[in-house]
């Protein structure tokens, strides 16, 4: 063989070798990433070629699949879509999935590795594949009550979270205004336009206000301030006079903070009376005495400064790292740079209602295969397994005493239920650079006790009344959130 031919043969051999290396790389190294690439149309066609598994509430599916024309044979349907959207999220052929639909995408579409034998069996028997199911902790009646309560407040934006304090099970999670995920579940032009319209809507119907948005918690945070004061020893007797004058001058300033009730009801009163009338001066003074570090430490034991996973990720509620004395005092009444999700305030209420033991909130009880076999079960666990008590049982019971007194004889009377022991706390939170031009947020947190003294439910209600047609004087946590 002459030299030119030899060179050509070597060159061709190198090309063939390079091709083999590339094919091997694509087949064995990149196969997973290519298979899961959102632009891989064949994968999406296959994924929508059979019905998706369902999300279950109270033993019944709140999702479904319906046959369609085109390459994507099945698309998602949702029962009571707006009511359950903060839980299910959406599963759209063009937009993809989110919330539970996204977290458990592989279970629902049958691609989870734990469903391998189910898939193999379907292939051998010729059955059409089907995804697994997600069994939630949501209580149908509680969810309906939460959603209807919010939507009855015409023009309001808001959220409700209900938790079983004993286990951490989320019983209800509602957000308003909401949306129907069914209207853009397919990939038609009309459905894409509906998604874009919802996404651009200024009322933000697709925002999960229960998990993903944070707000100043206002006076509902006073229950945590009380817990921090008792736990640190800054307050030892909830019936002893606080010595905090009303109005209260913030430390190191000349700024005075008054109260929504007459200052004479709050001047130097005890913490129990301060909770009864939501006296700002008592809790400003308590936070100042506790100090920044202990206040933050207590807040973090209840879940602040961390994202929560329910398993859907929530925004981080913030107790800031660097605060001066007046800023620390302001956090005592839930103002300043303090922010919280409604989920977080439900967690605080649940931890106190459960005698100081805070359980991790979760809303999925079981993952189930298409043959009804359990893939994975979820059990109640403390938020902090090494130290389950966010505060001591003694501290929690003193806060309960104050919250129950606030319902029976104070500002939280709207939460009274005949024959049921209820503890509650109102909250009206200022926000914005110029609070005079802003309508405040309305909050309400509460819990109920059964005959044995256990607490089967703790609730946080958040209402943003900015677009409501009511006078400013009617915007109060007790008036809007309490009922």
């Amino acid at each position: 063989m002459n030299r030119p031919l030899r060179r050509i043969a070597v060159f061709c051999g190198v090309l063939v070798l390079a091709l083999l290396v590339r094919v091997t790389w694509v087949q064995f190294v990149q196969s997973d990433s290519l298979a899961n690439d959102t632009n891989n149309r064949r994968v999406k066609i296959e994924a929508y070629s059979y019905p998706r598994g369902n999300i279950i509430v109270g033993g019944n599916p709140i999702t479904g699949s319906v046959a369609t024309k085109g390459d994507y044979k099945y698309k998602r349907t949702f029962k009571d879509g707006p009511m359950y959207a903060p839980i299910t999220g959406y599963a759209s052929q063009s937009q993809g999935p989110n919330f539970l639909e996204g977290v458990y995408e592989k279970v629902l579409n049958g691609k989870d590795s734990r469903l391998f034998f189910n898939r193999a069996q379907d292939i051998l028997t010729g059955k059409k594949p089907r995804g697994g199911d997600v069994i939630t902790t949501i209580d149908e009646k509680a969810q309906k009550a939460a959603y209807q309560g919010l939507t009855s407040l015409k023009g309001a934006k808001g959220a409700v979270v209900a938790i079983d304090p004993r286990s951490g099970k989320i019983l209800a999670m509602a957000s308003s205004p909401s949306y129907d995920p069914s209207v853009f579940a397919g990939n038609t032009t009309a459905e894409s336009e509906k998604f874009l319209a919802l996404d651009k809507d200024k009322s933000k119907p697709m925002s999960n206000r229960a998990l993903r948005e944070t707000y100043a918690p206002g006076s509902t945070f006073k229950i945590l301030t009380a817990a921090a004061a008792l736990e640190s020893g800054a307050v030892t007797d909830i019936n002893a006079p606080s010595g905090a004058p009303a109005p209260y001058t913030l430390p190191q300033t000349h700024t005075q903070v008054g109260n929504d009730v007459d200052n004479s009801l709050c001047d130097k009163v005890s913490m129990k009376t301060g909770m009864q009338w939501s006296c700002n001066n008592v809790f400003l003074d308590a936070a100042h005495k506790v100090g920044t570090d202990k206040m933050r430490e207590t807040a973090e034991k209840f879940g602040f400064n961390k994202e929560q996973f329910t398993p859907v990720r929530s925004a981080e509620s913030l107790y800031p790292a660097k605060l001066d004395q007046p800023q620390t005092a302001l956090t005592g009444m839930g103002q300043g740079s303090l922010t919280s999700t409604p989920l977080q305030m439900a967690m605080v209420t649940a931890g106190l209602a459960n005698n100081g033991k805070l359980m991790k909130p979760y809303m999925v009880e079981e993952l189930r295969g298409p043959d009804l076999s359990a893939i994975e079960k979820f059990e109640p666990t403390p938020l902090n397994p090494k130290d389950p008590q966010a505060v001591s049982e003694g501290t929690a019971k003193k806060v309960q005493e104050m919250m129950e007194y606030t319902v029976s004889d104070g500002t939280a009377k709207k939460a009274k239920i005949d024959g049921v022991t209820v503890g509650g706390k109102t909250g009206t939170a200022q926000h914005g650079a110029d609070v005079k031009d802003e309508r405040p947020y309305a909050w309400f947190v509460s819990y109920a006790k059964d005959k044995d003294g256990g607490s089967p439910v703790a609730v946080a209600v958040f209402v943003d009344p900015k677009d409501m047609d009511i006078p400013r004087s009617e915007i109060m946590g007790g008036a809007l959130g309490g009922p």
Side-chain angles (χ1 to χ4, degrees), residues 113-128:
S113 60
R114 293 168 292 184
L115 295 173
F116 171 78
F117 290 107
N118 295 87
R119 296 202 308 272
Q121 189 177 26
D122 288 341
I123 292 171
L124 291 172
T125 59
K127 287 183 179 179
K128 291 183 178 180

Side-chain angles (χ1 to χ4, degrees), residues 34-35 63 75 85 127 156 192 254 256 280 309 338 374 390 423 427 433 439:
L34 291 172
T63 57
K75 74 174 182 177
K127 287 183 179 179
S192 295
H254 297 290
Q256 288 193 325
N280 293 328
F309 293 86
L338 179 75
R439 293 161 74 83

Side-chain angles (χ1 to χ4, degrees), residues 372-392:
L372 305 185
S373 62
I375 303 172
E376 185 176 358
K377 291 187 176 182
F378 300 90
E379 301 293 338
T381 56
L383 184 68
N384 303 303
K386 293 182 179 179
D387 185 13
Q389 293 288 138
V391 292
S392 69

